């Protein structure tokens, strides 16, 4: 088997082509499930390199696999979608997903050219996943209505389609906004659930006979009080965030309101807190409605689950980072309030997402720019490649998802639930 150094040389050799691909993908910015040009560029390269793939998976996703064995199956997940520009002039890769796409292709090509997979019974699959940014709902809901998608996010659809069945671990990387450091390892991502409560009461004349009405605004404001008291019952490190707003207040001043809509996101750093908080918020809403003889209809829309990283895999990732930088340049276990659908994968399969710096400007803003090409495109790809190398070689570093089947069942059940 090749040494790790020899494997890294396959990235180094391609340096100029990799930088060029990085630029090409950065300037091909398309919104979720519209990444037709990006997918075409990916499949053109795969064709050129003689790598087999599936395309149009969950509308615009691409999956390419290297290796034929039935041993350990490693997944590298790379987002491919972009965001709308703030100035209205098209789209921009202001979350750096084009870097992930470029990185995945670099790692894939190095594995292919080095023929390293042929010396093992393992496989490496590259998932180019659409629609990670949770935006553009009108278009996505149309695709759902037309039966082309089941959920609003790329990875959620790929999970439902069974694309991750048989995968042993998920590797991913995302640009971070840290300056002065090179990488981060073990970051959290918050999970969230969108909740909508419709209070239904009875209208009446607010002057002549208010006692004949049942005021839904009273029910909603009672529930908002209960929800704000509830926050006190969760420890701060659980990251619970509840910010209810009244999106429909109803009525005019001479009428007792008979319909009020309260909406909130429930955010938390771990699944247990997220599920527990959802249950307790429902209980606040239902009981406050009941106390005032109102009806309350609650709808939940699952957003993304919190990211829970595999410590075992992160140990391997960190060791590979240390080949390129000192420990002081690695941020350990940062807490992030952002969310991503890689969190959903981490619920099912041992998953990691490391962060790499080298960005100028702000995320999700037109000022976003890649500034450190070496770190974003080369070193990050080598860290990923080194991690895969260790997983191929060292059985002890592997983490198998024993409960995948049951977890997937529970997960899809939760996503499909309509309360
Ligand atoms: Zn983003
Ligand atoms: Zn992102």
């Amino acid at each position: 088997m090749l040494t790790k150094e020899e494997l890294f040389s396959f990235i180094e050799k391609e340096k100029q082509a990799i930088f060029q691909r990085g630029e090409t993908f950065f300037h091909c910015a398309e919104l979720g499930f519209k990444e037709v040009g990006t997918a075409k560029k990916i499949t053109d390269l795969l064709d050129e390199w003689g790598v087999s793939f599936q395309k149009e998976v969950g509308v615009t996703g691409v999956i390419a696999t290297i290796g034929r064995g039935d041993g350990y199956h490693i997944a590298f997940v790379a987002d491919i979608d972009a965001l709308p520009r703030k100035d209205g002039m098209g789209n921009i890769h202001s979350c750096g997903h084009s870097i992930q796409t470029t990185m995945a292709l670099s790692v894939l090509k190095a594995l292919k050219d080095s023929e390293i997979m042929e010396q093992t019974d393992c496989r490496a699959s590259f998932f180019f996943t659409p629609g990670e940014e949770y935006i553009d709902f009108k278009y996505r809901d149309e695709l759902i209505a037309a039966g082309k998608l089941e959920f609003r996010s790329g990875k959620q659809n790929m999970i439902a389609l069974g694309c991750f069945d048989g995968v042993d671990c998920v590797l991913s990387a995302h640009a971070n906004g840290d300056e002065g450091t090179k990488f981060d390892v073990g970051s959290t991502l918050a999970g969230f659930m969108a909740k909508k409560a419709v209070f239904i009461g009875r209208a009446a004349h607010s002057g002549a006979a208010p006692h004949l009405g049942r005021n839904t605004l009273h029910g909603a404001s009672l529930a908002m009080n209960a929800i704000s008291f509830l926050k006190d019952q969760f420890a701060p490190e659980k990251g619970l965030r509840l910010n209810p707003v009244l999106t429909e207040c109803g009525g005019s001043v001479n009428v007792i309101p008979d319909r009020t809509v309260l909406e909130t996101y429930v955010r938390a750093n771990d699944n247990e807190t997220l599920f527990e908080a959802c249950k307790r918020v429902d209980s606040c809403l239902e009981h406050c409605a009941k106390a005032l003889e109102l009806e309350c209809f609650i709808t939940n829309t699952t957003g993304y689950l919190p990211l829970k990283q595999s410590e075992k895999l992160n140990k391997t990732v960190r060791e590979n980072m240390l080949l390129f930088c000192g420990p002081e340049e690695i941020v350990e276990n940062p807490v992030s309030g952002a969310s991503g659908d890689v969190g959903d994968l981490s619920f099912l399969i041992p998953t990691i997402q490391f962060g790499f710096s080298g960005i100028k400007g702000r995320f999700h803003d037109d000022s976003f720019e890649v500034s450190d090409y070496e770190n974003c495109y080369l070193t990050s790809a080598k860290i990923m490649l080194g991690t895969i190398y260790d997983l191929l070689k060292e059985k002890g570093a592997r983490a198998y998802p024993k409960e995948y089947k049951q977890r997937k069942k529970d997960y899809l059940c939760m996503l499909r639930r309509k309360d």
Side-chain angles (χ1 to χ4, degrees), residues 248-286:
E248 273 183 55
C249 299
S252 50
V253 286
N254 59 352
V255 181
I256 297 292
D258 64 347
R259 180 187 158 91
T260 299
V261 179
L262 180 153
E263 291 188 63
T264 187
Y265 268 11
V266 181
R267 300 177 211 256
N269 286 344
D270 61 81
N271 280 310
E272 291 70 28
T273 308
L274 185 64
F275 298 152
E276 176 65 16
C278 279
K279 212 170 74 192
R280 301 280 302 278
V281 169
D282 285 354
S283 165
C284 290
L285 294 163
E286 283 158 3

Side-chain angles (χ1 to χ4, degrees), residues 83 95 97 132-133 174 364:
L83 288 137
C95 205
H97 294 177
E132 189 278 330
E133 300 291 349
H174 199 293
H364 288 199

Side-chain angles (χ1 to χ4, degrees), residues 121-409:
D121 64 345
C122 302
R123 272 170 300 160
S125 288
F126 294 79
F127 291 75
F128 298 91
T129 55
E132 189 278 330
E133 300 291 349
Y134 207 66
I135 53 167
D136 203 16
F137 294 148
K138 193 172 168 286
Y139 176 70
R140 294 185 193 186
D141 291 345
E142 278 167 19
L143 289 176
I144 292 171
K148 291 181 180 157
L149 277 185
E150 186 176 357
F151 305 113
R152 287 170 171 176
S153 114
K155 296 185 196 72
Q156 291 176 342
N157 283 294
M158 282 190 172
I159 292 168
L161 289 169
C163 302
F164 289 96
D165 295 359
V167 162
D168 292 292
C169 73
V170 173
L171 309 179
S172 64
H174 199 293
N176 67 26
D178 294 337
E179 281 174 42
T181 58
K182 295 269 188 208
F183 302 103
D184 72 66
V185 65
S187 169
T188 63
L189 286 177
F192 71 95
M193 187 90 77
K195 206 172 267 298
K196 181 177 179 180
V198 181
F199 288 82
I200 301 291
R202 197 163 65 219
H205 194 297
S206 61
H211 58 281
L212 296 179
R214 291 292 176 262
N215 190 326
T216 50
L217 206 45
H218 288 170
S221 63
L222 195 60
M224 279 171 99
N225 275 308
I227 288 168
S228 87
F229 295 145
L230 180 67
K231 283 192 263 192
D232 254 14
Q233 299 185 357
F234 288 81
E237 65 272 17
K238 302 288 183 191
L240 179 66
R241 297 269 190 284
L242 294 165
N243 297 88
V245 287
L246 296 180
T247 50
E248 273 183 55
C249 299
S252 50
V253 286
N254 59 352
V255 181
I256 297 292
D258 64 347
R259 180 187 158 91
T260 299
V261 179
L262 180 153
E263 291 188 63
T264 187
Y265 268 11
V266 181
R267 300 177 211 256
N269 286 344
D270 61 81
N271 280 310
E272 291 70 28
T273 308
L274 185 64
F275 298 152
E276 176 65 16
C278 279
K279 212 170 74 192
R280 301 280 302 278
V281 169
D282 285 354
S283 165
C284 290
L285 294 163
E286 283 158 3
H287 287 95
C288 290
K290 206 166 168 212
L292 296 175
E293 290 194 337
L294 302 164
E295 282 185 291
C296 180
F297 301 96
I298 303 168
T299 327
N300 290 308
T301 308
T302 308
Y304 295 159
L305 296 184
L307 173 62
K308 188 177 188 306
Q309 302 220 27
S310 158
E311 284 177 25
K312 206 165 166 186
L313 289 170
N314 267 336
K315 209 171 145 261
T316 310
V317 173
R318 190 174 175 277
E319 281 161 13
N320 280 283
M321 286 176 177
L322 289 170
L323 301 175
F324 302 98
C325 68
E328 72 287 353
E329 289 174 300
I330 304 173
V331 182
E332 311 253 1
N333 310 317
V335 175
S336 170
S339 299
D341 55 2
V342 71
D344 292 44
L345 282 171
S346 77
F347 179 71
L348 304 168
I349 308 167
T351 297
I352 60 101
Q353 181 169 82
F354 74 79
F356 52 88
S357 58
I359 304 304
K360 216 165 62 183
R362 287 190 305 277
F363 278 71
H364 288 199
D365 184 73
D366 295 355
S367 60
F368 186 101
E369 237 181 279
V370 180
S371 59
D372 185 343
Y373 280 52
E374 186 86 22
N375 207 52
C376 287
Y377 293 121
L378 301 185
T379 317
S380 297
K382 287 179 192 170
I383 289 169
M384 203 54 105
L385 202 51
T387 304
I388 293 173
Y389 181 90
D390 290 340
L391 291 173
L392 296 178
K393 248 188 125 175
E394 180 54 63
K395 286 196 162 63
R398 300 172 183 176
Y400 293 90
K402 289 192 192 72
E403 313 94 358
Y404 177 79
K405 242 176 140 176
Q406 185 57 44
R407 286 192 157 235
K408 185 181 158 191
K409 216 174 123 202

